[in-house]
Amino acid sequence: MRLFILTFLLFSFSLNANDIKDLIGKKITLNWDNASCSYNLHMWYQITGNCTNQVHKIKNIVTDDGFSYIQWDDVLRNNGEGSYNEVLFYNNEGVLTHASLDNIEGAEWYYSSPQYDIDEINYKDESELINLIKKKLEFHKEGALIAAKYSDDSEAESYLNCDQNFLNEISIDEEGEFSFLNDTKNKKLLSKMEKFYKIVQSDKGQEEMEGVIEVFFSGQELEEVPKPFKKFSITEFSSYLGLMFAYSFGCSGMFNNG
């Protein structure tokens, strides 16, 4: 990796007016003389495109001296013969540069500066899975804002600046660990979540929550909904409680291993 970075530095300069991170959340189309590829760089740091039928994780890597590039790995060739890694960065003249490296011993990086267009992503052309992730991410961003609204100043700052890695991971949910937190089908879910937080902040709500938290952290199952929350089903109450704890720990960066 060190050699990889040093090679890039020959083509770039750390103080560049263009920021490669600005491409995240956009569609970029690269046009070479004999080929064209379109990439959708989603806000949750995954990439899709017409030159691969896979979904890849994006890494935005910034070196100590400020050199920034976007990388995604192990792109399978359409003919099934091998794979390669891809990189985007701005060179010292502010020109967008694409680089690729075959995953074979002794391979060298191939650099090019194709013509390119930057557009908004058209999610109508994306898969159901990608659109579901988008919906989840938007839901959790709104959920964190609701948590901030009913928190004191120090906690609110954590929610307002919620750790993006946490929001991305809970929305992508590759292992299906957060399915009970990701039921975004109910259009009234966010408004009901706000009602939940209002009750939590009330005197009766806080009194009842002490017992609920004991049950929650003991690993036992809640048998009935506390009286102040009687308008919620036990499933709803458990989901909102789970979200409350998830945002409390996750937004602060506690689950961020990066």
Side-chain angles (χ1 to χ4, degrees):
M1 179 58 72
R2 184 174 179 81
L3 178 60
F4 165 71
I5 294 172
L6 289 174
T7 303
F8 273 11
L9 289 176
L10 295 174
F11 290 83
S12 64
F13 185 68
S14 59
L15 299 178
N16 196 299
N18 295 307
D19 188 349
I20 197 69
K21 193 174 182 180
D22 290 342
L23 294 182
I24 303 296
K26 299 293 184 181
K27 172 184 177 180
I28 179 166
T29 303
L30 304 181
N31 298 299
W32 294 273
D33 290 340
N34 58 351
S36 177
C37 284
S38 292
Y39 304 99
N40 289 337
L41 286 77
H42 303 290
M43 289 299 297
W44 54 91
Y45 282 73
Q46 284 186 331
I47 187 170
T48 56
N50 65 353
C51 286
T52 175
N53 53 14
Q54 300 169 287
V55 178
H56 296 275
K57 184 176 182 179
I58 304 169
K59 294 178 286 187
N60 177 215
I61 301 170
V62 183
T63 62
D64 291 341
D65 60 1
F67 172 56
S68 179
Y69 57 95
I70 293 172
Q71 181 174 345
W72 59 100
D73 299 330
D74 300 322
V75 180
L76 297 178
R77 296 194 181 281
N78 291 330
N79 60 10
E81 296 181 2
S83 65
Y84 56 95
N85 304 331
E86 292 185 87
V87 165
L88 287 174
F89 64 97
Y90 286 105
N91 67 17
N92 62 326
E93 296 177 348
V95 176
L96 187 68
T97 301
H98 175 272
S100 62
L101 176 71
D102 286 325
N103 284 326
I104 56 175
E105 187 176 351
E108 296 182 356
W109 286 93
Y110 174 76
Y111 300 88
S112 65
S113 296
Q115 297 294 314
Y116 64 92
D117 296 302
I118 300 174
D119 301 291
E120 298 299 320
I121 298 174
N122 182 2
Y123 280 96
K124 291 182 180 179
D125 295 336
E126 281 287 0
S127 68
E128 183 178 346
L129 174 61
I130 290 296
N131 275 281
L132 180 58
I133 294 173
K134 178 176 181 286
K135 190 174 182 179
K136 289 176 182 178
L137 182 60
E138 291 169 348
F139 169 80
H140 289 304
K141 284 182 175 179
E142 288 293 324
L145 290 178
I146 291 173
K149 184 177 177 180
Y150 295 95
S151 303
D152 60 36
D153 291 344
S154 59
E155 289 178 326
E157 185 176 352
S158 173
Y159 295 127
L160 292 172
N161 298 287
C162 190
D163 181 73
Q164 190 63 48
N165 289 326
F166 161 70
L167 291 174
N168 292 342
E169 290 300 322
I170 197 174
S171 301
I172 296 170
D173 193 19
E174 286 182 326
E175 305 298 326
E177 297 175 313
F178 308 111
S179 56
F180 73 105
L181 304 181
N182 276 324
D183 182 10
T184 60
K185 296 177 183 177
N186 188 342
K187 292 182 180 180
K188 297 180 180 178
L189 201 61
L190 288 171
S191 62
K192 294 183 78 174
M193 187 190 299
E194 186 153 5
K195 292 177 183 177
F196 174 84
Y197 271 97
K198 282 182 180 178
I199 298 172
V200 169
Q201 292 300 313
S202 69
D203 291 339
K204 289 184 178 180
Q206 290 188 25
E207 185 178 328
E208 290 287 345
M209 286 300 289
E210 291 180 10
V212 170
I213 290 171
E214 270 188 45
V215 174
F216 186 87
F217 283 107
S218 68
Q220 301 176 44
E221 288 190 12
L222 196 68
E223 296 182 357
E224 60 181 6
V225 177
K227 288 183 180 179
F229 302 89
K230 61 183 179 181
K231 291 185 177 179
F232 299 97
S233 69
I234 194 163
T235 300
E236 288 175 329
F237 180 82
S238 298
S239 294
Y240 296 136
L241 184 67
L243 284 170
M244 186 177 75
F245 283 116
Y247 295 152
S248 178
F249 294 120
C251 285
S252 65
M254 186 173 292
F255 299 143
N256 184 3
N257 296 321

